[in-house]
Amino acid sequence: MVTFLAGGTGTPKLLDGVDAAFDPAEVTVVANTGDDVELGGLLVCPDLDTVLFAGGSILDRETWWGIDGDTTATHDELGRLAEAADLSGGPRYLPPDRQTAGRRIARWRRFSGVAEFMEIGDRDRAVHVTRTSLLDEGRTLTEATRTLADAFDLDVTLLPMSDDPVATIVHTDEGAMHFQEYWVARRADPAVEDVEFRGSHAADPTPAVRDALDAPVVIGPSNPVTSVGPIRALPGVDDALTETPVVAVSPFVEDEVFSGPAADLMRGVGLDPSTAGVADAYPFVDAFVLDDADGTDLDRPVVRTDTRIDDAADARRVVDAVAAALAEVA
């Protein structure tokens, strides 16, 4: 058994090659849900969905978001209606008293569907309708995710990090905003001053997640702050990671990040945006996988390879390095 912590695109890209060293039937993926939003009444879970769509062989691999070849008729019509009705563009947060009303799982991240600020494809939307309807029927997010994973014929076990609400709030020089506003609507432009995982202290990892953290853990080349941070913010997770072998793949080559806002977010929370900063952020990690060109000197075992992942062959190469690193510390 082995467990991967997934958020953003780094770990999902790594999972493309998981069968190089691991039996997918023995792999559990714990996905970040701090990035989730309720948009127009539908619960959208970007990090869960990236693993769902990749495992179902329908992911748009140009954007690593949504379904390949999807249409956007509903999204386009929402924009047209907002413009015709002279309604301001999104993101449009629901009023403060509505942020903690309605579905508990959607607290602190509830947006109006007017002028939808995230592009949701038509087939993609069907997933959100199904998930939200299952929740309204009384299922947990874990149960709804299991149903969707079966529909997409996933080889791995996919778990949300919690069935409780946790919202990633980025505090910036322009005010506090949900991560999706910061990243999607604002293109990571505001300067980051801090990051909050609202609700995390009152949330719990599910029993399935606790069991998964008893196995060796792999952290892919994901953003340490907003992709992995919400999982770690749950009570007991860091303690569990201290007690099990953990290997992490750096999302940096020294101080150059492969993609995304990791550097700005790390700088904003007081971490050096570099492989060294990732090691400081992960004191529980037993070994690291670094790029061949990364000369960072760490105080823990290191396995080096070309860590850029552009396709499944790249992913298999990095997974082989992960397995080698686990063999050193398991």
Side-chain angles (χ1 to χ4, degrees), residues 132-146:
T132 307
S133 297
L134 289 171
L135 293 171
D136 288 347
E137 289 175 6
R139 303 200 196 188
T140 64
L141 183 58
T142 295
E143 292 167 341
T145 300
R146 184 180 304 118

Side-chain angles (χ1 to χ4, degrees), residues 150-176:
D150 289 344
F152 284 98
D153 293 324
L154 254 66
D155 293 329
V156 301
T157 298
L158 176 61
L159 301 172
M161 68 185 198
S162 180
D163 288 329
D164 299 318
V166 177
T168 298
I169 307 298
V170 183
H171 294 264
T172 78
D173 61 345
E174 299 182 31

Side-chain angles (χ1 to χ4, degrees), residues 55-223:
S57 301
I58 61 170
L59 179 69
D60 183 339
R61 291 174 182 272
E62 293 297 318
T63 62
W64 282 83
W65 161 261
I67 294 174
D68 187 37
D70 206 354
T71 55
T72 57
T74 302
H75 175 79
D76 295 342
E77 183 65 8
L78 286 168
R80 189 198 69 78
L81 282 171
E83 184 175 358
D86 199 25
L87 295 168
S88 63
R92 296 166 61 108
Y93 289 88
L94 296 191
D97 62 321
R98 300 294 299 162
Q99 290 296 331
T100 52
R103 298 182 193 92
R104 181 173 175 271
I105 194 70
R107 284 183 173 179
W108 314 296
R109 47 192 174 177
R110 304 186 71 207
F111 293 86
S112 166
V114 172
E116 188 175 74
F117 78 98
M118 298 171 69
E119 183 177 273
I120 307 294
D122 297 318
R123 292 174 62 198
D124 191 357
R125 194 178 304 274
V127 174
H128 310 320
V129 171
T130 302
R131 173 191 294 117
T132 307
S133 297
L134 289 171
L135 293 171
D136 288 347
E137 289 175 6
R139 303 200 196 188
T140 64
L141 183 58
T142 295
E143 292 167 341
T145 300
R146 184 180 304 118
T147 298
L148 290 168
D150 289 344
F152 284 98
D153 293 324
L154 254 66
D155 293 329
V156 301
T157 298
L158 176 61
L159 301 172
M161 68 185 198
S162 180
D163 288 329
D164 299 318
V166 177
T168 298
I169 307 298
V170 183
H171 294 264
T172 78
D173 61 345
E174 299 182 31
M177 59 190 72
H178 188 271
F179 175 77
Q180 297 299 348
E181 178 183 3
Y182 166 77
W183 178 233
V184 176
R186 304 298 300 275
R187 304 299 183 190
D189 182 59
V192 178
E193 297 178 344
D194 201 2
V195 177
E196 169 194 3
F197 305 117
R198 189 169 297 174
S200 61
H201 295 303
D204 287 304
T206 64
V209 168
R210 291 186 185 276
D211 287 345
L213 294 178
D214 286 338
V217 171
V218 176
I219 302 175
S222 293
N223 184 328

